[in-house]
Amino acid sequence: MNVIVKMGGVVTLPDEVVDELDLEPGSEIEFARSPAGGFIVGRARTGDQPSREQIRNQVRAAAVAARSGTRPEFADMTTEEFMAFIRG
């Protein structure tokens, strides 16, 4: 989908995006860098919800720790315990 940038960087989101994200006047949206170098748009997270970048960093840190063998407590963790650990 293409949109036109107006004065001051204002854009009008396509109806399909507004409907899919359930946006209404005053809703916040966030932009995240995609692995391909573009941007992904989504409804802004609120409250305690971590951003995609924070989740990605937690998963990477947990994977590095698990592979390095410096965290022996991973050896006896259940899947649920590991998921709770990477969620923070």
Side-chain angles (χ1 to χ4, degrees), residues 7-85:
M7 294 290 285
V10 175
V11 298
T12 300
L13 296 174
D15 288 339
E16 182 180 342
V17 173
V18 172
D19 293 342
E20 182 68 28
L21 297 177
D22 194 27
L23 299 174
E24 53 192 45
S27 295
E28 291 186 31
I29 57 174
E30 76 175 312
F31 296 88
R33 179 73 70 178
S34 76
F39 286 91
I40 299 169
V41 63
R43 188 176 189 91
R45 302 195 181 278
T46 59
D48 296 346
Q49 297 175 321
S51 69
R52 285 189 177 121
E53 187 65 26
Q54 290 169 321
I55 293 169
R56 193 175 300 122
N57 289 339
Q58 287 177 330
V59 170
R60 284 181 183 144
V64 167
R67 284 193 301 265
S68 69
T70 60
R71 304 292 294 265
E73 67 270 21
F74 287 133
D76 297 324
M77 277 189 178
T78 65
T79 301
E80 290 79 19
E81 291 169 334
F82 182 75
M83 294 302 292
F85 172 80

